[in-house]
Amino acid sequence: MPSDALEIHASLLVQQRGERRVPLADTVSVASLLAADSALVTEAIDSPHKALLGGTWTTEGVFSVMGEFWWDGTAPTSSDWQRLRRQAAQRAALLGLPGVPAAAVAGATAASTRMFDQSNLAQRGMLARLAWSDPGGRVSASADLLKSLGDGGWTATAAFAWQGEKLRIDAGLRRYGGPADSAYRLLPERAAAFVGFSLAY
């Protein structure tokens, strides 16, 4: 804490071993491409590193700005996401061909989406957040930008909250963008809205 308004944080994690889920090699056979149980392979990683550096600047209870940069050696690379997109297109091209069950195409494609279950979708990324709250603490708003520095994908979120005596309302909108083969653009949705109500009694 260099001052009351500025906070800086950092972390470093070094592992002896790690692993991540990645798509099959581009040279696999059609049979392997349609096998749901092998749509992804687990890749071992020797001595992966994770590092994060960030900071927060806050005014007197009204505005705050936060920024973070990170590296995650266990996250998929941009080439992994590009390969995932290519294989999804290859599976889709097999639909309707003799001897290719549609269920096999759908099952293998669905199984490949488990790649999104990993804790981090980008090896190199940044987060920027601007937040505001009224002095009374009843109304707050925020805007976030999460960006992958490897493939150019991003997600932007705007959120609003109102706190009454017993009722709290939260609402927001999230949008995904970037190149077509980036991780955030490969998600099945392009945008999402959310609303939440909570009542204390």
Side-chain angles (χ1 to χ4, degrees):
M1 297 279 297
S3 68
D4 291 340
L6 180 63
E7 173 270 340
I8 298 174
H9 56 272
S11 65
L12 174 65
L13 174 66
V14 180
Q15 301 173 236
Q16 288 185 336
R17 292 179 302 275
E19 59 182 33
R20 62 176 164 230
R21 287 176 172 169
V22 296
L24 299 167
D26 281 329
T27 56
V28 297
S29 65
V30 171
S32 297
L33 200 61
L34 295 177
D37 57 352
S38 61
L40 297 174
V41 294
T42 300
E43 180 180 82
I45 311 167
D46 292 329
S47 302
H49 296 64
K50 296 182 182 183
L52 181 143
L53 175 64
T56 305
W57 177 74
T58 307
T59 65
E60 295 182 3
V62 179
F63 287 100
S64 68
V65 179
M66 184 186 76
E68 288 184 338
F69 292 89
W70 75 84
W71 163 268
D72 184 351
T74 64
T77 66
S78 56
S79 61
D80 292 330
W81 293 111
Q82 292 165 6
R83 195 161 71 252
L84 184 75
R85 182 173 184 257
R86 285 196 303 271
Q87 292 179 3
Q90 289 169 353
R91 292 185 182 101
L94 294 172
L95 279 172
L97 294 180
V100 179
V105 174
T109 301
S112 71
T113 63
R114 291 198 305 267
M115 193 160 154
F116 290 97
D117 294 341
Q118 300 178 99
S119 59
N120 210 337
L121 302 185
Q123 277 195 334
R124 294 182 296 120
M126 60 154 286
L127 170 67
R129 175 182 174 88
L130 173 64
W132 170 88
S133 61
D134 77 287
R138 295 175 66 89
V139 181
S140 62
S142 64
D144 301 73
L145 176 64
L146 179 64
K147 184 172 178 61
S148 168
L149 301 179
D151 60 23
W154 55 265
T155 172
T157 306
F160 168 86
W162 176 82
Q163 177 69 59
E165 293 296 328
K166 295 184 177 181
L167 177 66
R168 178 182 172 89
I169 301 174
D170 293 275
L173 179 66
R174 177 167 293 161
R175 175 74 178 173
Y176 303 97
D181 56 4
S182 62
Y184 293 115
R185 276 291 305 276
L186 291 175
L187 288 164
E189 64 271 3
R190 291 289 175 266
F194 57 90
V195 178
F197 300 90
S198 57
L199 183 65
Y201 57 90

